[in-house]
Amino acid sequence: MNPAWYLRRLQRMEPSEVAGRVNDQLLRLLWRITPPDIARHASARLTPGPRRPRLKPLPLPAHAPQQATGRLIHAAERILAGHWRVFARDHDALGERPDWFVDIRSGKRAPADMYAFAVPYRDEAAVGNIKYIWEPSRHHHLTVLAAAYDLTSDERYARRVAAHLTSWWRENPFPCGPHWISGIELGVRLISWAWVRQLLRNWPGAPALFEDNDQFLTQLYAHQYWLSQFPSRGSSANNHIIAEAAGQFVAACVFPFFRDSALWRQDAARTLADEAVAQTFACGSNRELATDYHGFVLELLLAAAVQGEASGHQLDDVVWTTMCRMGDVIAAMLDDRARPPRQGDGDDGIGLLLDDHASNRWLGLLATGTRLFGELEWWPKLLEPDLRTFFLADGIKARAIAARPARRPHLLVEAGQTFLVDADRAVWCRCDHGPHGFGRIAGHAHADALSLECRIGGVDILADPGTYCYHGDPRWRAYFRSTLAHNTLCLFGRDQSVSGGPFLWTRHAQSRLIASSGLDDRDADASWVAEHSGYQDAAGLVHRRSVQLQRRAARLVVTDIVLADEGLAVPASLSWHLGPEVECKLEGRIAQLAWPGGRGELELPAALGWTPHRGDEAMLAGWYSPSFDLKVPATTLIGSGTLAAGQSLVTELRWFSEPARRS
């Protein structure tokens, strides 16, 4: 981040946020000069008497779903063998002697003994990719091992958990090293520790590892004290503040050992209630409009709400209502293969892991929603039970939430999401007319106004390429967030919204829905029309797009038009990104397509000159990111030319076979 980025970031802040950040910087400077004696503080703030954690009752292992248990045990055995997948790579430095400071991708190590706020964590050349360093210290692999112990009573799993926690506590003293930089990391880590303790409730060594261990008590106090001092503020108060509050709340419920515990718990509960409303549309969509974060936030809220219920400290009803609506939205937006949209940023973040890493989180969240709120008739049918629901929902009273949708909503008005669906042919199309992102910086947004995704039989045909990276190569970061990297129209060779750098947008394209029809009629055509004014600074241009799903004719027709003064002509490019499973042969302006279970063709507008790109590193095109830090070649068709005001560009996708429905 260069000085210009910080200046642009400062300009997006309210005065109260600026004042809070100044206070934060002064406190960090004070800590650097005179670090708090956290062990002494922790000891002084302990409440007298025996320390008994308040553990959530868990179901009997004999009642656990067998297939999910088998997958979890397999994952636990791999962890014991020193293998744990972190993003796109196998982390082989988590064996008996874990390395908590290595970026396994580059081999670089972050300094363990440097004052936390002096670590140049955004400088990949200095410390490596910080996300590869942070992720293992969220301790999701330890909740997997602890769950394996609960289900099997095999002490190998418990002993490895104890070894790793003891190692982490010893090697990460407050406030040194990279793991004391970001509050979201502390919050998620506290949730993991609480669940490790609960899952090891029958292990004889658990009390000595946790409540009777001065090292743990010091770390527990340090984490909660840090969170009380440095909450995410203002324009940064997105999913981070929910993670911080959820961790603070869960830890204070399970480990109420300090004189501050009740205050921490109460403050966190208020924050969760406030932020659940502030960060969620009335329809249930997360306001960041980045699908991965919808799942992440729901997992965090579930962990907190269930813990509060189990300990007698219920969260406000608004949190439960929000969680129910978030679950209903998941059910509404899944495709035929139970995959959600690929909108906005995604970094594979997990709030609480109690299943095999490779399980379908979305079906698991619906399973939990079914137990806590009841399944609606139109929800997708679940294939099998999951362990998160088994552990979380057992013993928690189901709630009846009012005003739930009686049928599947295909239009999420506030979120700006419209779904054109042909259930008979497993066709799913998402059209975007929503806000650019959340808040003044819209940190996790992409420049994707009026973009669309189309899947047939669960296969990405017209795909959103994804995210790929955050703190890595800024060139790749800029590409995957760009207008060119989405299925929409790009004018003047620039993005619809103006980027101020990573996680910062200084001008946001404004979109609006004009009309939609036929969304719920299985026999009629479905249509959607919307426009955005992201290029309005250039002669008042407006991009309008209409999409029509012709169910009987088996085609999707997309029409783009630029509304501007008569006689104006603008340089334009139109991108169509195909999924990695799609084979493409371009002949003139007809692209012959084939994919597992189907084939089709894409008829492209004649007014543009079309060029295919696949794995192109020169201009960056032809890439698809299935998960964080992983990209694979895929075909991108880019049409370029000059577009006159009022001129229509018509793209038509046709499919020739009815693919078998996929599970």
Side-chain angles (χ1 to χ4, degrees):
M1 307 297 187
N2 58 38
W5 182 89
Y6 285 101
L7 178 59
R8 291 191 294 268
R9 185 69 178 81
L10 184 65
Q11 291 171 339
R12 308 301 292 176
M13 298 181 190
E14 298 286 354
S16 59
E17 180 180 355
V18 174
R21 289 179 180 272
V22 169
N23 182 75
D24 291 346
Q25 291 301 326
L26 291 174
L27 183 57
R28 288 168 182 164
L29 178 62
L30 179 62
W31 280 12
R32 186 170 191 172
I33 297 170
T34 309
D37 186 344
I38 208 70
R40 184 175 63 84
H41 285 319
S43 178
R45 301 303 294 173
L46 279 170
T47 54
R51 290 182 291 276
R52 295 189 179 90
R54 304 189 67 171
L55 307 180
K56 177 188 180 298
L58 299 181
L60 294 174
H63 298 158
Q66 292 186 355
Q67 289 187 13
T69 297
R71 289 194 298 269
L72 181 96
I73 299 304
H74 177 72
E77 289 296 322
R78 283 187 51 78
I79 296 171
L80 290 184
H83 299 286
W84 177 249
R85 187 172 178 84
V86 175
F87 303 131
R89 288 167 171 76
D90 183 57
H91 199 305
D92 57 2
L94 289 177
E96 294 185 8
R97 292 188 172 185
D99 188 338
W100 302 110
F101 308 100
V102 67
D103 163 20
I104 58 167
R105 190 177 72 162
S106 67
K108 295 182 183 294
R109 299 183 81 254
D113 55 355
M114 181 182 290
Y115 176 59
F117 296 117
V119 174
Y121 70 98
R122 290 192 176 105
D123 186 351
E124 195 163 325
V127 303
N129 187 317
I130 192 63
K131 289 188 68 64
Y132 272 102
I133 296 170
W134 281 343
E135 188 68 19
S137 287
R138 291 186 174 189
H139 292 164
H140 293 313
H141 70 292
L142 299 185
T143 55
V144 169
L145 286 173
Y149 172 79
D150 179 80
L151 295 171
T152 66
S153 298
D154 188 333
E155 289 211 6
R156 294 179 304 144
Y157 305 130
R159 288 196 296 268
R160 180 60 60 86
V161 169
H164 276 210
L165 285 178
T166 301
S167 165
W168 198 95
W169 295 333
R170 180 181 63 250
E171 296 180 23
N172 289 276
F174 170 90
C176 294
H179 300 303
W180 294 98
I181 297 172
S182 175
I184 188 175
E185 305 304 318
L186 278 70
V188 173
R189 195 153 53 237
L190 284 173
I191 294 173
S192 293
W193 291 354
W195 270 91
V196 166
R197 179 62 185 93
Q198 292 178 140
L199 291 162
L200 295 183
R201 68 198 189 283
N202 293 324
W203 183 49
L209 178 63
F210 285 96
E211 54 266 26
D212 297 334
N213 182 356
D214 288 341
Q215 192 176 53
F216 166 68
L217 294 173
T218 298
Q219 285 281 355
L220 175 66
Y221 182 84
H223 275 65
Q224 295 187 89
Y225 180 67
W226 191 108
L227 290 172
S228 71
Q229 299 301 303
F230 296 114
S232 290
R233 299 181 184 277
S235 55
S236 291
N238 54 1
N239 64 85
H240 284 233
I241 196 170
I242 289 180
E244 294 159 9
Q248 186 82 292
F249 182 81
V250 169
C253 285
V254 177
F255 306 115
F257 301 156
F258 303 103
R259 296 175 183 175
D260 311 279
S261 294
L263 178 62
W264 288 336
R265 187 189 68 241
Q266 293 161 7
D267 287 347
R270 281 193 295 271
T271 297
L272 289 170
D274 292 343
E275 295 300 327
V277 173
Q279 297 193 35
T280 311
F281 289 118
C283 66
S285 292
N286 181 267
R287 286 181 182 266
E288 290 200 79
L289 295 173
T291 309
D292 260 19
Y293 287 102
H294 182 104
F296 178 61
V297 166
L298 180 52
E299 289 169 352
L300 293 167
L301 292 177
L302 283 167
V306 164
Q307 207 69 61
E309 189 85 356
S311 64
H313 302 295
Q314 290 86 354
L315 288 178
D316 193 287
D317 286 347
V318 72
V319 177
W320 291 88
T321 300
T322 297
M323 293 191 302
C324 179
R325 290 176 178 166
M326 292 179 77
D328 287 341
V329 162
I330 290 173
M333 67 185 182
L334 293 184
D335 71 5
D336 202 61
R337 251 202 275 184
R339 295 171 57 230
R342 287 166 52 83
Q343 183 183 21
D345 273 349
D347 68 349
D348 303 343
I350 300 168
L352 171 64
L353 186 63
L354 298 174
D355 277 281
D356 167 36
H357 207 305
S359 298
N360 185 317
R361 82 186 298 179
W362 308 100
L363 290 179
L365 287 168
L366 289 185
T368 306
T370 296
R371 291 284 298 275
L372 295 180
F373 308 111
E375 177 184 12
L376 297 179
E377 184 178 347
W378 53 267
W379 275 24
K381 302 307 172 188
L382 304 179
L383 300 180
E384 60 183 84
D386 69 302
L387 286 171
R388 176 172 50 203
T389 301
F390 172 74
F391 287 120
L392 265 184
D394 183 78
I396 303 299
K397 181 181 177 182
R399 283 169 161 75
I401 304 297
R404 298 178 68 188
R407 54 193 303 181
R408 179 178 182 175
H410 292 107
L411 173 59
L412 305 174
V413 178
E414 290 178 300
Q417 302 296 309
T418 300
F419 297 90
L420 311 182
V421 175
D422 184 348
D424 296 330
R425 295 171 179 81
V427 178
W428 176 98
C429 178
R430 176 186 69 89
C431 302
D432 179 9
H433 65 270
H436 178 61
F438 177 58
R440 295 170 61 84
I441 65 172
H444 288 302
H446 290 185
D448 58 357
L450 306 195
S451 66
L452 63 83
E453 297 178 76
C454 181
R455 301 174 191 161
I456 302 177
V459 176
D460 279 308
I461 309 301
L462 303 176
D464 183 310
T467 298
Y468 178 52
C469 66
Y470 278 179
H471 297 99
D473 188 330
R475 187 165 170 253
W476 286 107
R477 174 65 171 154
Y479 168 71
F480 274 95
R481 297 200 308 162
S482 70
T483 299
L484 185 69
H486 294 84
N487 295 317
T488 189
L489 189 64
C490 178
L491 303 179
F492 305 103
R494 61 178 174 84
D495 292 338
Q496 313 145 332
S497 295
V498 177
S499 172
F503 308 105
L504 173 62
W505 296 90
T506 57
R507 185 172 59 77
H508 304 174
Q510 302 296 315
S511 304
R512 72 181 186 97
L513 177 67
I514 296 174
S516 65
S517 64
L519 303 181
D520 298 316
D521 190 340
R522 297 173 71 113
D523 298 319
D525 294 344
S527 66
W528 166 89
V529 184
E531 65 184 24
H532 80 82
S533 57
Y535 297 109
Q536 205 165 44
D537 61 322
L541 294 180
V542 171
H543 171 208
R544 179 173 292 179
R545 165 171 279 186
S546 67
V547 179
Q548 186 178 58
L549 173 61
Q550 299 177 2
R551 293 185 173 101
R552 292 183 179 179
R555 68 184 65 184
L556 187 77
V557 180
V558 183
T559 303
D560 292 293
I561 187 171
V562 170
L563 305 178
D565 295 337
E566 186 176 351
L568 183 67
V570 297
S573 59
L574 179 61
S575 300
W576 294 115
H577 300 269
L578 307 181
E581 295 183 85
V582 179
E583 297 177 4
C584 175
K585 183 179 180 181
L586 181 62
E587 299 173 343
R589 63 187 187 91
I590 303 296
Q592 301 294 336
L593 311 179
W595 59 87
R599 61 187 182 89
E601 66 181 21
L602 193 63
E603 184 176 344
L604 303 164
L608 302 177
W610 290 90
T611 306
H613 300 263
R614 186 174 180 85
D616 190 338
E617 298 201 22
M619 70 166 286
L620 300 192
W623 295 97
Y624 178 97
S625 177
S627 61
F628 192 77
D629 196 45
L630 178 63
K631 65 182 188 300
V632 298
T635 300
T636 295
L637 303 172
I638 299 180
S640 302
T642 300
L643 187 60
Q647 182 179 359
S648 294
L649 299 177
V650 180
T651 305
E652 188 170 310
L653 171 65
R654 298 183 285 268
W655 46 95
F656 303 133
S657 60
E658 296 183 5
R661 186 180 296 276
R662 295 191 176 201
S663 59

